[in-house]
Amino acid sequence: MLDMPVTVMAKNYSHCPLKKRPVHILEELPDEPQNLSTKPEDLSRSGRLTSVSPSSLSPVSPHSSEKTSPPPSPPVLSPSPQFYPKVYPPPISPEYAPQTWHRSVAPLYPPVYPFVEYMGPASPYSDSSLSPPHHHPPPIQPLALRPVYPADPSLSPTWTASPPHSAAPEDLSEKRRPGVRHQCPDCGKSYSTFSGLSKHRQFHCAAGEGPKKSFSCKFCEKVYVSLGALKMHIRTHTLPCKCTICGKAFSRPWLLQGHIRTHTGEKPFSCTYCNRAFADRSNLRAHLQTHSDVKKYSCPTCSKTFSRMSLLTKHAEGGCGGGVHAEKVY
DNA sequence: CTGGGGAAGGGGCCC
DNA sequence: GGGGCCCCTTCCCCA
């Protein structure tokens, strides 16, 4: 069974009047990894907020009533490009939209590999905070992934997932012929056995184009292709950044920083149209949509636009008939 | 019921 | 590789 941390789902928010969401309290964390936080204690101990970097969203001091520039009149109707510089992909239908981990039951990240084989002391999981995939793989099929080398040595081989029994006996004998070295076409390392080369190419060769290592979270079923991504994810379980005021824990320092603003009342982001201030930049961005006649999300059926995807989804589900195949308006 | 605000989460990117 | 930040998204609450 999984060695999960004890997570207490608070029934109410009495311990923090500002919270609207249930709070996960890690009561015990067996083999708790080191504090992966950057400087959470510095943040909470000092109680001093780091300055928010200036941006296009014009942060202002918490209690400043003066504005650096008069609000433009009247509000521009189309979203300012400075806020939406990206080319957005088509919105995902909510039924397929990703959900946050604490709500999700099914893993969002299917394993990259059918299996991961441990390689002894040099294992990437030597860090106690990182665990090997807790899904014990099915019996390892030798040659489950094998490279097919092209004639041109400068080209990377393709990988095939042919079952082991598909390899002809003569092929195996060829691969194990004494004196024959199996060289990695990507990095040049040679191995006495084909399986050695195969393992190298699957899990160690950074130059290769084959599948890379996978890093599995020991607290849930998510799998990442990089150690950094896994470490970042693990913080969502360990929640190393703790608010000294209410005790709520967060995965990242800047999340805690934003939370502390809910206590201090600091709202560094102000709307240039109505002068309303927000503690969160994204909330200001959403607010700016309310000043626009043509909003970000439009119904493909009736062309009505909405400031939020959730509103469009409700609209579509409410009988417009257009479904939730929303399109963003720019 | 709808629309908006508040709070928070995650991945990605840049330094 | 890690930290900080950005952006998007989601959920909850309220008017």
Side-chain angles (χ1 to χ4, degrees), chain A residues 21-22 29 32 45 59 63 128 146 165 186 198 260 269-270 277 322 330:
Chain A
R21 290 187 175 185
L29 207 57
E32 180 173 2
R45 205 181 298 141
H63 306 293
S128 63
R146 69 181 175 86
H165 50 70
D186 294 309
S198 182
I260 289 177
F269 306 99
S270 67
Y330 308 105

Side-chain angles (χ1 to χ4, degrees), chain A residues 154-211:
Chain A
S154 66
L155 298 176
S156 297
T158 57
W159 287 75
T160 178
S162 60
H165 50 70
S166 66
E170 53 269 27
D171 291 340
L172 291 177
S173 61
E174 174 70 19
K175 287 165 185 163
R176 291 173 182 166
R177 184 183 303 165
V180 173
R181 301 290 293 181
H182 302 272
Q183 189 173 27
C184 176
D186 294 309
C187 68
K189 286 185 179 179
S190 63
Y191 295 82
S192 58
T193 62
F194 176 77
S195 63
L197 171 61
S198 182
K199 286 178 182 178
H200 160 77
R201 290 185 57 82
Q202 284 189 45
F203 306 115
H204 298 286
C205 182
E209 294 181 357

Side-chain angles (χ1 to χ4, degrees), chain A residues 215-227:
Chain A
F215 299 90
S216 177
C217 175
K218 72 175 183 180
F219 299 124
C220 68
E221 298 180 350
K222 288 188 176 179
V223 177
Y224 294 83
V225 296
S226 73
L227 187 59

Side-chain angles (χ1 to χ4, degrees), chain A residues 73-87:
Chain A
S73 64
V76 180
L77 298 184
S78 62
S80 173
Q82 73 185 109
F83 300 127
Y84 309 103
K86 286 184 177 180
V87 176

Side-chain angles (χ1 to χ4, degrees), chain A residues 161-304:
Chain A
S162 60
H165 50 70
S166 66
E170 53 269 27
D171 291 340
L172 291 177
S173 61
E174 174 70 19
K175 287 165 185 163
R176 291 173 182 166
R177 184 183 303 165
V180 173
R181 301 290 293 181
H182 302 272
Q183 189 173 27
C184 176
D186 294 309
C187 68
K189 286 185 179 179
S190 63
Y191 295 82
S192 58
T193 62
F194 176 77
S195 63
L197 171 61
S198 182
K199 286 178 182 178
H200 160 77
R201 290 185 57 82
Q202 284 189 45
F203 306 115
H204 298 286
C205 182
E209 294 181 357
K212 303 297 187 295
K213 302 174 196 176
S214 65
F215 299 90
S216 177
C217 175
K218 72 175 183 180
F219 299 124
C220 68
E221 298 180 350
K222 288 188 176 179
V223 177
Y224 294 83
V225 296
S226 73
L227 187 59
L230 173 60
K231 283 184 175 180
M232 185 62 70
H233 164 76
I234 285 178
R235 298 178 64 138
T236 67
H237 294 292
T238 59
L239 300 177
C241 310
K242 199 169 184 178
C243 176
T244 56
I245 300 174
C246 69
K248 187 173 184 184
F250 297 86
S251 60
R252 299 188 226 179
W254 58 267
L255 276 174
L256 171 60
Q257 188 172 314
H259 167 76
I260 289 177
R261 288 200 193 108
T262 68
H263 292 298
T264 63
E266 183 191 19
K267 295 182 177 180
F269 306 99
S270 67
C271 175
T272 56
Y273 299 137
C274 65
N275 205 25
R276 181 166 183 157
F278 297 84
D280 183 84
R281 191 192 306 267
S282 291
N283 289 338
L284 168 60
R285 190 173 290 109
H287 164 79
L288 285 170
Q289 286 288 305
T290 66
H291 288 299
S292 172
D293 280 349
V294 180
K295 298 182 174 62
K296 201 171 178 178
Y297 303 94
S298 74
C299 175
T301 302
C302 67
S303 298
K304 187 176 180 181

